Amino acid sequence: AAGVIQSPRHLIKEKRETATLKCYPIPRHDTVYWYQQGPGQDPQFLISFYEKMQSDKGSIPDRFSAQQFSDYHSELNMSSLELGDSALYFCASSLGGEALYEQYFGPGTRLTVT
Amino acid sequence: AQKITQTQPGMFVQEKEAVTLDCTYDTSDQSYGLFWYKQPSSGEMIFLIYQGSYDEQNATEGRYSLNFQKARKSANLVISASQLGDSAMYFCAMREGPGSARQLTFGSGTQLTVLP
């Protein structure tokens, strides 16, 4: 079965650079979530989109922005990168609506800021 | 207050034995979902099992079952017949509803080690 695709899988950037992470949800899933997992931490919610509209916002820094496109893929744009942004970034997808559907995670993008 | 509490930072279990990973939650919503995810050392987050707050039966998926005690606000994961490949970090998570695109809140995780 098709899973959530994330690219790139690994990314190394220097401080103050920008990065763009991409997420392709499971086919027919209309909802995308972004999570950040620091070393030894649990995943923290950043932002979500439902039907191409921003739905919820968590602890996402102002330096980060995201959007969901017409084909439902999503991109997380990160600017003025800091050392503390080094983390595993997960995208998850689900069916939206009122029901509490499962969220399926992609393999993650490991971002290292040097 | 913590929404999801996992009190066991680390657990050991002998291969082929059963193990229970604890999870308690805190919410004032009537509609919510509880999830368990497995994260091996490779980093991916693997969905294991889901329990809805209105589900009367405990969820089961193969060797995984969720012991849901609503009055006690607990959602423990039971893994039967442990295998070496079960060694991983296990996260309990909750999604509060209703509403579309509601995010997951995770516990701090339990590192499970299966011994040969």
Side-chain angles (χ1 to χ4, degrees), chain B residues 41-60:
Chain B
S41 56
S42 50
E44 69 265 35
M45 194 73 77
I46 302 166
F47 167 73
L48 295 178
I49 197 166
Y50 162 79
Q51 179 86 41
S53 58
Y54 294 118
D55 295 341
E56 294 186 354
Q57 303 264 17
N58 284 342
T60 60

Side-chain angles (χ1 to χ4, degrees), chain A residues 72-91:
Chain A
Y72 294 103
H73 95 271
S74 178
E75 294 183 4
L76 177 66
N77 299 294
M78 311 159 72
S79 63
S80 302
L81 287 168
E82 301 173 356
L83 295 178
D85 296 329
S86 295
L88 190 54
Y89 290 83
F90 287 107
C91 169

